[in-house]
Amino acid sequence: MTETATGTTPTQGSETREFSAEVGRLLDLVVHSLYSEREIFLRELVANAADATDRRRFEALTEGARALPEDAKIRINPEKDARLLTISDDGAGMSKEELVSNLGTIAKSGTRAFGQKLEDAKPEDRPNLIGQFGVGFYAAFMVADKVDVVSRRAGSDDAWRWTSDGKGSYTLEPATREKAGTDITLHIKEDADEFLDSWRLEAIIRKWSDHIAWPVTIIKDGKEEAANEGTALWRKPRNEITEDQLNEFYRHLTHNFDIPWDTLHWRAEGTIEFSALLFVPGSRPFEFAEQTRDSRVRLHVRRMFITDEADILPSWLRFVQGVVDTEDLPLNVSREMLQATPVLARIRKAVTGKVMGELKTRAKDEEAYAGFWENFGPVLKEGMWDDPAHRTEVAALSRFRSSAVDGLTSLDAYISRMKPEQDAIYYLTGDNAETLAASPQIEGFKARGVEVLLLSDAVDSFWPERLGTYEGKALRNVAQGQTDLEKFGAPAESDAEKADMDTLVPALKTALGDTVSDIRATDRLVNSAMVLTAPEGGPDLQLQKLMQRSGQSLPPVTPVLELNPAHPIVHHLAGLVKDGKPVDALAHILLDVASIQNGEAPKDVNAFSRRLMDYLAGGVETGSTAEPAKD
């Protein structure tokens, strides 16, 4: 037998497992970097106990063997003499495999990212990271030098003990527990005596967990006393609730520590009746966009939690969190029934309408709305792709960077600035707005005073096609097909002499062959010599890049090479052709540089390097010594 994490000899059937080196490092960070909110450990453990009890109640709807005891509660037992603090629940419990999965790993959203965030965060920001990364259980090691977990899965006779000192390993061994549920026992550190005081524990519960629906009790002088109010806050009139109570409930519900950007609290009456308390977070959770696209608003029936998988809100409003409680569904409603019931469909429609109405109201304060948009705009924009019923509403709420104004702008504001002869909303997609603002693609538009929206979120490559038009104005990608800049007149630079494109273009087409689908002169360029665009009707180059990054493929689309007839390089090329000199190498250099401008590497980096060196050495003045790239 091996030695356990605490240095004691394990019992028969026990096993010791090592945390990964990275996890061990993160445990050390949790213990030593979160002291500014040390009391948070109790809030996290009580919240986990409440979730486990909710889960067992839901499971019992279809599996009678997992029924909750009538007196189900969360019990907190401080033992000063033994320096132990135990948090017990009657919840679903955990099997051996679940103990390993839930307690043997940390920060499932990315251990390395969590560690970096924690090291870089200011002390006042660190508590929020607990909820963002799902490491609430490990906050116990801030106040304990050893933690024992004894758990028995509901419906099973087997119990298991998980033990660790948080220093790199944990031990698993068979245990006994009279009933299903979990006991978490903390061996309190010498400098954490305050958390053995029942009065201090009650104050923490009142502060952080007063609105948990399950009774929370604390042992005081050998007697079990209630520690929380357990009120369904969403059922109380708004004028009976303080801002502090709302914020505390928000933190309990979301495991975040910020202040909500917006709170929606109302009761619907009429054909259907329900109470709702919803929150829009004040900050964006880490890796939010990469998490599940499902809405996690909790559905309650007569105060009893049923599920957080009822899709109360559409996926593009998944940043909204909260509770919806109705009397119009049976307590034993199954998930299958939820999908089919017309009652829930009406609730979904009403709740979505309420949230959209609130966003429209808040959008009138552009400064405050900008903060919301930076956090959740990329998610909200998914509605223009996903949801035909709300597509236009989402478009009106959307904000964008622009070539013409600082900060954010709406489509309505863009239309108000359009030129009299303009009939389209122009946009360009890419990886970031700063790069797009300097893109050759929009030089001609800027020179003529025509505004271009700079779209840099992944979803921006998809929704414009679905939206199609807004307020009668077509949405047009400036990097796709021919421009229609001639209707706006010529820029001041247009009087520059133009190269002879009639002889140059055929020579370049011969040199480049099928690496491009067309070569043509363009009026979209002012300072740049060339640019790559997508052919008319084909997917733009940014969409092609996104699909490749995600491991998906589109039918191959060969780009169009557009040239600025007034640029010195184009004049130089035309002169070489006129003099009968080869332009193969310089043509390929031009094409590769155009690819680099679009954020792509040349197809053949070595050939590009050789051609460029020859050109710089003067070799291509009389003909290149570099071979053309073979595709």
Side-chain angles (χ1 to χ4, degrees), residues 3-4 15 76 154 170 183 283 322 350 367 383 409 447 504 571 593:
E3 198 73 5
T4 70
E15 55 183 285
I76 300 173
Y170 61 93
D183 301 317
S283 61
E367 184 177 351
T409 187
L504 175 60
H571 275 283
V593 171

Side-chain angles (χ1 to χ4, degrees), residues 142-422:
M142 292 193 294
V143 300
D145 49 30
K146 186 173 80 169
V147 177
D148 295 318
V149 179
V150 175
S151 194
R152 175 178 164 183
R153 190 70 170 94
S156 171
D157 295 329
D158 297 328
W160 287 87
R161 180 187 304 274
W162 181 99
T163 302
S164 179
D165 61 2
K167 295 180 180 178
S169 62
Y170 61 93
T171 298
L172 283 168
E173 59 186 351
T176 57
R177 195 177 194 275
E178 183 179 349
K179 298 178 180 179
T182 300
D183 301 317
I184 301 177
T185 300
L186 282 61
H187 298 250
I188 298 298
K189 293 179 178 180
E190 293 293 334
D191 64 346
D193 284 350
E194 61 181 299
F195 302 113
L196 292 170
D197 187 320
S198 58
W199 300 104
R200 173 76 169 106
L201 297 172
E202 182 179 3
I204 297 172
I205 294 299
R206 294 286 185 191
K207 176 180 178 181
W208 295 108
S209 309
D210 201 36
H211 305 294
I212 284 180
W214 298 103
V216 180
T217 63
I218 296 178
I219 306 299
K220 294 181 182 178
D221 301 323
K223 297 180 180 179
E224 195 171 332
E225 298 185 10
N228 71 321
E229 184 178 340
T231 301
L233 200 66
W234 55 89
R235 284 180 170 250
K236 297 179 70 173
R238 180 65 179 86
N239 59 8
E240 295 180 12
I241 307 172
T242 67
E243 285 299 317
D244 286 343
Q245 288 176 313
L246 286 172
N247 292 339
E248 289 164 14
F249 181 69
Y250 162 77
R251 290 164 179 164
H252 156 67
L253 189 75
T254 65
H255 289 226
N256 293 335
F257 289 79
D258 58 348
I259 300 297
W261 179 77
D262 199 7
T263 300
L264 293 82
H265 182 206
W266 79 101
R267 177 167 179 79
E269 297 178 336
T271 307
I272 54 171
E273 295 189 0
F274 63 88
S275 299
L277 179 54
L278 304 178
F279 301 96
V280 178
S283 61
R284 180 179 179 175
F286 186 77
E287 292 187 345
F288 170 75
E290 288 72 38
Q291 295 171 1
T292 175
R293 294 186 71 238
D294 298 330
S295 165
R296 291 296 185 183
V297 171
R298 295 165 63 97
L299 175 65
H300 290 239
V301 175
R302 301 169 203 169
R303 291 188 55 178
M304 294 184 67
F305 171 73
I306 300 300
T307 183
D308 61 358
E309 298 179 1
D311 297 327
I312 299 294
L313 287 170
S315 62
W316 46 273
L317 288 175
R318 62 186 177 274
F319 51 85
V320 179
Q321 301 188 58
V323 172
V324 171
D325 188 355
T326 182
E327 303 275 348
D328 295 335
L329 288 169
L331 278 174
N332 63 345
V333 63
S334 67
R335 291 178 184 174
E336 291 74 19
M337 289 173 62
L338 283 174
Q339 297 304 316
T341 177
V343 171
L344 190 57
R346 289 195 291 269
I347 291 175
R348 287 172 177 148
K349 182 178 181 180
V351 174
T352 301
K354 185 74 172 181
V355 172
M356 291 297 287
E358 180 70 6
L359 290 179
K360 290 174 186 176
T361 299
R362 294 297 306 271
K364 295 175 183 177
D365 182 346
E366 290 291 348
E367 184 177 351
Y369 192 70
F372 158 79
W373 187 257
E374 291 297 331
N375 288 329
F376 302 112
V379 176
L380 184 61
K381 279 190 290 188
E382 292 175 11
M384 289 187 281
W385 170 262
D386 281 344
D387 197 334
H390 294 92
R391 187 168 288 150
T392 303
E393 284 183 280
V394 174
L397 286 169
S398 296
R399 299 293 183 266
F400 311 94
R401 300 290 174 184
S402 164
S403 64
V405 296
D406 293 330
L408 297 171
T409 187
S410 66
L411 291 178
D412 290 306
Y414 177 100
I415 290 173
S416 72
R417 296 188 293 269
M418 285 173 59
K419 289 180 169 291
E421 64 272 30
Q422 186 176 345

Side-chain angles (χ1 to χ4, degrees), residues 429-485:
T429 61
D431 291 329
N432 67 77
E434 290 75 18
T435 301
L436 292 175
S439 172
Q441 302 277 11
I442 65 173
E443 288 178 358
F445 291 87
K446 291 168 69 175
R448 294 167 172 83
V450 178
E451 184 174 358
V452 179
L453 298 178
L454 311 175
L455 312 184
S456 57
D457 295 315
V459 70
D460 292 329
S461 292
F462 301 93
W463 65 260
E465 179 185 348
R466 289 279 176 91
L467 183 62
T469 62
Y470 181 80
E471 294 295 326
K473 308 295 183 182
L475 276 78
R476 192 163 299 162
N477 188 340
V478 301
Q480 197 170 25
Q482 296 269 25
T483 66
D484 49 7
L485 287 174

Side-chain angles (χ1 to χ4, degrees), residues 40-56 73-74 87-94 102-103 130-131 134-140 149 151 181-182 184 205 209 212 214 216 251-255 298:
I40 288 304
F41 85 92
L42 186 59
R43 194 206 80 157
E44 292 299 310
L45 296 182
V46 170
N48 289 346
D51 289 344
T53 311
D54 280 335
R55 187 163 62 252
R56 182 174 176 183
K73 66 183 71 171
I74 300 164
I87 296 91
S88 302
D89 66 67
D90 300 305
M94 290 176 280
N102 296 334
L103 305 187
I130 296 175
V135 296
F137 169 79
Y138 303 97
V149 179
S151 194
T182 300
I184 301 177
I205 294 299
S209 309
I212 284 180
W214 298 103
V216 180
R251 290 164 179 164
H252 156 67
L253 189 75
T254 65
H255 289 226
R298 295 165 63 97

